[in-house]
Amino acid sequence: MPHITDLFHVFKHDWKDVFLASWRKYPSPKRPDILSVDIVNKEFDPQSGVLTTTRFIIAEGYVPVWLRPLFGGGVVMFVEETRVDPKNQKMKLFTRNVSYDNILKTEEICEYSPDPVNKLWTQLKQSCRVSMIGGMMASSAEEYMVKKFAANASKGREIMEAAILMCEQERA
């Protein structure tokens, strides 16, 4: 049975700053496991103003000893689809693994929009779904991956804050 988790965060920054910073998060010393983030496709709709991109992400894979017989070690690859709608101040990212996806599926969705309480701030809704083929070991692996996601999400928010400050300083 898939493990799902939802996280919420409010950045005390304008949506535009958060949007710009999202493209500048990596490389970061806080996530040295992220080896590469490359844009492989981009499309712009001039009528709607919507930008859609596809990024390919390569990360150094840490696999617990008890999962190495299934996964080995090495790198893990992900594809991220991003849709940015600046007119409505919405940005949605959908990321999924392409490595080992015949055994383990991870899907992450991040949605950024103005905070409903304070329009000068930006809310992030982040969700992760992990599912693995197999019996009891699958449930343990799914639980491990969801915990890893939550830990990495916290680091990701720290990296985003640093990138936002960099954008704000450059604009000043």
Side-chain angles (χ1 to χ4, degrees):
M1 182 166 173
H3 279 67
I4 300 169
T5 190
D6 292 316
L7 303 171
F8 299 91
H9 182 76
V10 174
F11 292 99
K12 294 180 180 179
H13 304 278
D14 181 84
W15 181 88
K16 185 177 82 174
D17 291 333
V18 174
F19 153 71
L20 291 171
S22 71
W23 301 101
R24 301 181 69 183
K25 281 176 61 175
Y26 301 108
S28 171
K30 290 186 187 272
R31 288 291 311 270
D33 58 313
I34 305 294
L35 304 175
S36 174
V37 179
D38 298 295
I39 295 175
V40 294
N41 188 43
K42 57 186 171 187
E43 296 175 18
F44 177 71
D45 181 342
Q47 290 195 324
S48 67
V50 171
L51 171 67
T52 304
T53 67
T54 303
R55 297 198 290 185
F56 191 71
I57 302 165
I58 300 174
E60 188 173 13
Y62 169 77
V63 178
V65 172
W66 55 278
L67 283 175
R68 286 187 188 153
L70 286 175
F71 297 103
V75 298
V76 181
M77 293 169 268
F78 300 88
V79 171
E80 176 189 272
E81 304 285 337
T82 303
R83 185 176 192 276
V84 181
D85 181 350
K87 288 180 185 173
N88 295 303
Q89 294 188 319
K90 299 211 181 281
M91 179 169 66
K92 184 173 185 176
L93 294 77
F94 174 75
T95 308
R96 64 180 176 80
N97 65 302
V98 291
S99 300
Y100 315 115
D101 67 340
N102 58 328
I103 300 169
L104 174 73
K105 293 192 183 304
T106 61
E107 298 173 340
E108 177 186 14
I109 297 173
C110 295
E111 296 177 270
Y112 297 87
S113 59
D115 182 62
V117 176
N118 184 336
K119 298 293 182 192
L120 298 177
W121 294 352
T122 305
Q123 72 173 2
L124 164 63
K125 179 184 177 198
Q126 191 173 16
S127 64
C128 177
R129 176 186 167 110
V130 178
S131 58
M132 183 174 172
I133 296 170
M136 283 184 57
M137 190 166 91
S139 182
S140 296
E142 290 168 357
E143 188 175 321
Y144 168 81
M145 295 299 291
V146 166
K147 286 179 182 174
K148 186 87 169 149
F149 163 77
N152 285 339
S154 177
K155 288 181 193 175
R157 290 189 300 272
E158 289 176 28
I159 294 166
M160 180 68 95
E161 284 286 351
I164 292 167
L165 292 175
M166 182 173 35
C167 289
E168 289 175 345
Q169 289 170 353
E170 287 175 357
R171 191 179 60 234

